[in-house]
Amino acid sequence: MKSKSTTAWSAAKSEELYGFKRWGSGHFSVDSDGFATVQPLGDERDIRILDVVQEAVDMGLKAPMVIRFQDLLRHRVTQLNGVFRKAIEDEDYQGEYRGVFPIKVNQLREVVDEIVEAGKEFNYGLEAGSKPELMIAIAMHEGTERLIICNGYKDLDYIRLALMGRKLGKQIIIVVEQLAELDDIIRLAEETGVEPMIGFRAKLQTRGEGKWAMSTGDNAKFGLNTAEILFACEKLKAAKLQSCLRLVHFHIGSQVPNIITIKNAVIEASRFYCQLAKMGFPMGLLDVGGGLGIDYDGSRTNYESSMNYTMAEYARDVVSNIREICNASSVKVPDIVSESGRAVVAPHSMLVVEVFERINKRESLGKKHQPKQKHKIVTDLEVMLRNRSKLGRLERFHDAVQKKEEAFSLFNLGYLDLENRAAAEQLFWQICEQLARETSSAGYVPEELHELNKLLADQYVCNFSVFQSLLDHWALKQLFPVAPLHRLTERPSVNAILVDITCDSDGKINSFIDLQDVKDYVQLHPLNNKPYYLGVFLTGAYQDIMGDLHNLFGRVNEVHVFLEDDEENGFYIEETLNGSRIGDVIEGVQYKQDDLCRKMKVQIDAATRSDLIKPREGVRLLELYESQMLNKTYLNIERATGRKKKKK
Ligand SMILES: *Cc1c(COP(=O)(O)O)cnc(C)c1O
């Protein structure tokens, strides 16, 4: 990417350019034929992602689609539990790891199912942050060994549900986040005669880094400050429920990029734990919350899209710091709970989008507009384009910008006709291209010339909605790896940004992962009238449920993939979920399909009566309208580009 070499492109170069190995943590690569592949178990078994797309298309499910690799999900559960077990063994820690999966990170039944199943041998439990999530957790949870942790705001019904779980013998812990909750818990415990298991969420002073740093500190939304914890202790004693206090909890926010933050928070929370244990509460559990990151850009730095530690290092640091503080305080070490959500589910799913159009603001450059009478501004620009050598690049850029602006002023004042304006614009872009070409082979590049690449980037229009499928990119500028799924042996010669099909200028992806910084464009292949598929990777955490119905683009199609040695391509699609149909999303905003169809019929009948259309045509129009209700909300690309012949 740095030097524009003339040597042939290769799959290996693509693998390097898009960073598959860096962010893929052993699960993603490029095969020698130029296809992106997934290794769900991190071993030699792999699946060509385009094969999955093709099979889904054959089943009638087109892009945009979400692909879930169920084995990869399972693998992550095993991995997380594995690193904690190993750390506990290595550190000779006298307690256990009893992790829970926070349902809010991905509530989909197949996801939770797979996690509960994979977590069986580790007694891996569930965490809930709301009543609906607790309803799921309490029913999906099996056995009496696994934990259920109840976080979030709680009303009486929430607490009743948790106590119901206790009655069934479940280890279900109500974490007190606000002092008032404790009064409710005490009252309901007395009323029902159930002995609750209680935890305190501590408001730590340790400040996080990254996008969710506000989760701790004095102004954090959740948790008890020191005085409140002492007050809560008194309340428990007064109610003779001392024996119910079992856990200290903290959560320093998601995607913590810096391991130092985690160490500090663990130390602070361990101190809370030890003090409470010394006050005579039974305790036994320390919950370190979530925050374990995902290295989205593969840079292994403390940049917000990355993390400067591994999962194994995280586990070692949690285990060893808790042990040290407890030993120093002569307190028996607790069992360790963590609520890692993002780290468990993010890698297992990806979004596939199809590019169907390239918008190139310089497209018209080829067909030069030669004004009948050239305005001086146009000849000036022509001279600038031709006599490139004399001035420095930056100076030429500034001159060109100034001329372009002058041209616009002249146009507004009525001194420049359309043809001259078009010519001026074209010449400006030509000069920019010329500068960009020279810049790509030069050493140091000033900021403004860097911007040229962004300025010149084409727009690749993709059939999807950022608001439905990648909300965090829009809301938080979160970066996700983006790469073509095929043609990876060809040189990607086009700098592009991705725009979606919503009528919202924010509906785009214009920042991309980069080792040093953030990139303003991604290198892609020229379109060739065949489907061109891009993958957006590591989208398994939060994106599924955060998405909204902007422009009424609904849920996308979804396929769930399992490894299968006996199958031709090494996989099978176990489940398919159809994306929203137009009728579904319309009903979601309170229209009735029947009503709308009836209204159309009235109008068509009226048009027929007044001879605007023939009766037969009226019938056809009504059919067209009604049949659309069953269609998906996204573009039916076959139709949209119907004029071009598509070769298979
Ligand atoms: C959101 C949340 C989590 C999950 O955090 P991740 O960073 O995704 O692991 C865990 N615990 C609590 C209390 C949360 O609110």
Side-chain angles (χ1 to χ4, degrees):
M1 197 195 73
K2 282 187 190 77
S3 69
K4 211 174 191 175
S5 76
T6 48
T7 54
W9 194 257
S10 67
K13 282 188 180 168
S14 288
E15 195 171 73
E16 171 64 21
L17 172 66
Y18 298 108
F20 283 93
K21 287 279 154 75
R22 285 190 297 271
W23 50 258
S25 49
H27 294 292
F28 294 94
S29 49
V30 177
D31 68 18
S32 54
D33 294 326
F35 293 94
T37 60
V38 56
Q39 294 78 49
L41 297 175
D43 59 16
E44 72 289 343
R45 287 192 284 175
D46 69 352
I47 300 171
R48 264 187 195 175
I49 299 168
L50 194 70
D51 287 347
V52 177
V53 175
Q54 225 84 63
E55 189 159 326
V57 169
D58 291 344
M59 295 165 98
L61 299 174
K62 294 185 181 174
M65 70 175 91
V66 164
I67 306 179
R68 296 188 193 284
F69 299 105
Q70 299 290 108
D71 302 277
L72 209 165
L73 182 55
R74 187 169 267 274
H75 183 76
R76 292 297 281 190
V77 173
T78 310
Q79 218 174 4
L80 177 70
N81 281 281
V83 295
F84 267 101
R85 286 194 167 186
K86 173 120 192 348
I88 281 173
E89 199 185 310
D90 291 352
E91 299 283 328
D92 197 21
Y93 187 86
Q94 300 300 310
E96 288 177 34
Y97 173 66
R98 305 177 64 189
V100 292
F101 173 69
I103 294 184
K104 80 154 190 262
V105 186
N106 197 319
Q107 298 97 336
L108 195 81
R109 182 175 54 80
E110 280 88 350
V111 172
V112 174
D113 246 349
E114 195 73 46
I115 290 172
V116 168
E117 177 61 32
K120 214 173 215 159
E121 56 180 305
F122 309 107
N123 280 328
Y124 192 57
L126 294 170
E127 185 263 5
S130 66
K131 258 187 298 189
E133 287 180 2
L134 181 56
M135 295 285 281
I136 294 172
I138 205 167
M140 298 290 287
H141 174 267
E142 299 164 353
T144 51
E145 293 304 307
R146 305 176 176 207
L147 292 172
I148 298 181
I149 305 283
C150 301
N151 292 319
Y153 288 95
K154 302 167 194 75
D155 63 6
L156 293 174
D157 287 336
Y158 188 128
I159 297 166
R160 283 188 190 108
L161 279 171
L163 294 178
M164 170 182 142
R166 280 298 289 148
K167 259 197 175 145
L168 301 177
K170 291 180 188 293
Q171 299 198 41
I172 181 163
I173 298 181
I174 308 175
V175 177
V176 178
E177 313 231 26
Q178 319 283 335
L179 209 45
E181 286 171 10
L182 190 57
D183 297 325
D184 293 340
I185 296 168
I186 290 171
R187 207 183 86 216
L188 286 175
E190 277 165 2
E191 266 175 43
T192 54
V194 179
E195 188 168 297
M197 294 173 83
I198 296 175
F200 288 163
R201 176 163 178 172
K203 206 176 250 185
L204 299 187
Q205 279 303 312
T206 304
R207 293 306 291 267
E209 262 178 77
K211 293 186 191 296
W212 286 270
M214 290 302 288
S215 305
T216 57
D218 293 330
N219 293 324
K221 215 169 114 182
F222 295 110
L224 306 175
N225 65 30
T226 324
E228 286 170 330
I229 285 183
L230 288 174
F231 201 45
C233 289
E234 282 164 25
K235 283 190 186 213
L236 280 181
K237 281 184 186 154
K240 302 221 165 8
L241 289 176
Q242 296 99 300
S243 63
C244 297
L245 185 60
R246 302 297 184 84
L247 169 146
V248 167
H249 174 269
F250 73 88
H251 174 62
I252 44 174
S254 206
Q255 183 67 18
V256 176
N258 195 341
I259 189 72
I260 303 290
T261 314
I262 287 164
K263 284 183 207 267
N264 289 339
V266 168
I267 289 170
E268 191 183 348
S270 300
R271 292 284 178 205
F272 272 105
Y273 179 89
C274 290
Q275 296 268 331
L276 288 167
K278 285 192 159 175
M279 285 163 73
F281 294 102
M283 306 309 289
L285 294 163
L286 177 55
D287 184 343
V288 299
L292 175 56
I294 284 284
D295 194 356
Y296 290 97
D297 67 15
S299 67
R300 306 222 175 126
T301 57
N302 61 357
Y303 177 66
E304 61 186 19
S305 290
S306 186
M307 58 199 270
N308 64 1
Y309 54 95
T310 62
M311 194 191 261
E313 187 180 349
Y314 172 84
R316 262 197 313 275
D317 276 347
V318 168
V319 170
S320 68
N321 281 297
I322 295 176
R323 191 201 52 200
E324 248 166 63
I325 303 288
C326 288
N327 284 355
S329 315
S330 308
V331 166
K332 185 172 177 295
V333 295
D335 285 346
I336 298 171
V337 183
S338 85
E339 304 172 346
S340 304
R342 182 187 299 276
V344 171
V345 293
H348 92 281
S349 80
M350 61 177 292
L351 175 73
V352 177
V353 300
E354 183 175 351
V355 183
F356 66 98
E357 197 165 310
R358 173 181 179 180
I359 298 178
N360 176 347
K361 40 182 169 298
R362 298 150 292 139
E363 189 107 272
S364 49
L365 286 185
K367 338 167 191 127
K368 279 203 185 106
H369 275 282
Q370 287 299 341
K372 281 172 213 80
Q373 276 193 312
K374 266 187 211 168
H375 191 281
K376 178 166 179 309
I377 195 107
V378 172
T379 45
D380 283 355
L381 279 160
E382 280 176 348
V383 170
M384 286 166 96
L385 181 65
R386 244 177 279 122
N387 303 345
R388 64 169 93 165
S389 54
K390 294 201 187 89
L391 303 172
R393 283 172 292 155
L394 201 53
E395 187 169 351
R396 279 155 57 206
F397 179 60
H398 291 154
D399 290 350
V401 169
Q402 188 240 325
K403 282 288 172 211
K404 182 190 70 170
E405 271 157 23
E406 203 180 312
F408 289 160
S409 301
L410 289 169
F411 178 79
N412 287 346
L413 293 169
Y415 295 121
L416 202 67
D417 60 17
L418 268 183
E419 280 178 341
N420 272 291
R421 175 173 163 150
E425 282 180 36
Q426 282 168 12
L427 284 161
F428 172 74
W429 289 119
Q430 276 175 298
I431 293 168
C432 288
E433 277 195 320
Q434 192 181 66
L435 287 167
R437 266 197 306 276
E438 291 170 31
T439 303
S440 68
S441 56
Y444 171 74
V445 180
E447 187 70 28
E448 278 171 290
L449 292 183
H450 252 311
E451 299 273 304
L452 267 181
N453 275 323
K454 183 174 164 184
L455 216 59
L456 288 168
D458 287 355
Q459 292 181 342
Y460 270 35
V461 191
C462 306
N463 191 14
F464 83 117
S465 158
V466 166
F467 306 93
Q468 172 62 242
S469 299
L470 289 175
L471 196 80
D472 281 348
H473 182 75
W474 172 73
L476 299 160
K477 280 275 154 238
Q478 196 197 309
L479 302 183
F480 295 93
V482 172
L485 299 182
H486 51 138
R487 297 177 63 188
L488 293 165
T489 48
E490 297 170 37
R491 181 189 299 278
S493 55
V494 181
N495 294 340
I497 67 161
L498 309 181
V499 299
D500 75 5
I501 55 169
T502 64
C503 304
D504 192 315
S505 48
D506 266 3
K508 62 189 174 191
I509 305 180
N510 61 354
S511 46
F512 300 88
I513 62 164
D514 187 53
L515 275 185
Q516 306 302 331
D517 206 341
V518 176
K519 234 162 97 175
D520 299 320
Y521 56 90
V522 61
Q523 284 148 283
L524 297 175
H525 303 95
L527 300 185
N528 60 5
N529 271 336
K530 292 181 192 158
Y532 184 53
Y533 291 108
L534 303 179
V536 184
F537 296 85
L538 312 180
T539 58
Y542 299 103
Q543 305 318 298
D544 285 294
I545 211 68
M546 305 278 274
D548 65 42
L549 291 177
H550 197 9
N551 264 151
L552 296 186
F553 288 113
R555 289 193 70 86
V556 304
N557 293 323
E558 191 172 318
V559 294
H560 300 175
V561 172
F562 279 90
L563 277 170
E564 176 58 66
D565 293 336
D566 295 341
E567 295 287 332
E568 188 189 347
N569 296 324
F571 73 89
Y572 71 99
I573 292 178
E574 188 236 22
E575 174 125 44
T576 59
L577 306 178
N578 261 297
S580 312
R581 298 179 190 283
I582 292 174
D584 301 336
V585 295
I586 281 178
E587 300 242 330
V589 282
Q590 305 298 316
Y591 299 90
K592 291 266 172 293
Q593 293 184 46
D594 291 351
D595 271 359
L596 294 181
C597 291
R598 214 172 305 125
K599 282 188 198 300
M600 281 314 295
K601 184 165 186 319
V602 170
Q603 296 183 54
I604 288 169
D605 287 349
T608 314
R609 272 198 306 278
S610 53
D611 252 1
L612 281 171
I613 49 174
K614 299 252 154 50
R616 211 178 251 197
E617 208 178 351
V619 173
R620 264 208 317 278
L621 291 179
L622 190 60
E623 272 172 12
L624 166 71
Y625 184 82
E626 286 174 350
S627 67
Q628 285 302 316
M629 289 290 184
L630 291 174
N631 278 357
K632 305 280 170 64
T633 55
Y634 293 90
L635 299 189
N636 192 353
I637 287 181
E638 209 72 35
R639 193 106 54 82
T641 56
R643 272 163 289 129
K644 291 181 196 159
K645 254 189 249 133
K646 255 196 182 165
K647 278 176 265 164
K648 259 269 161 94

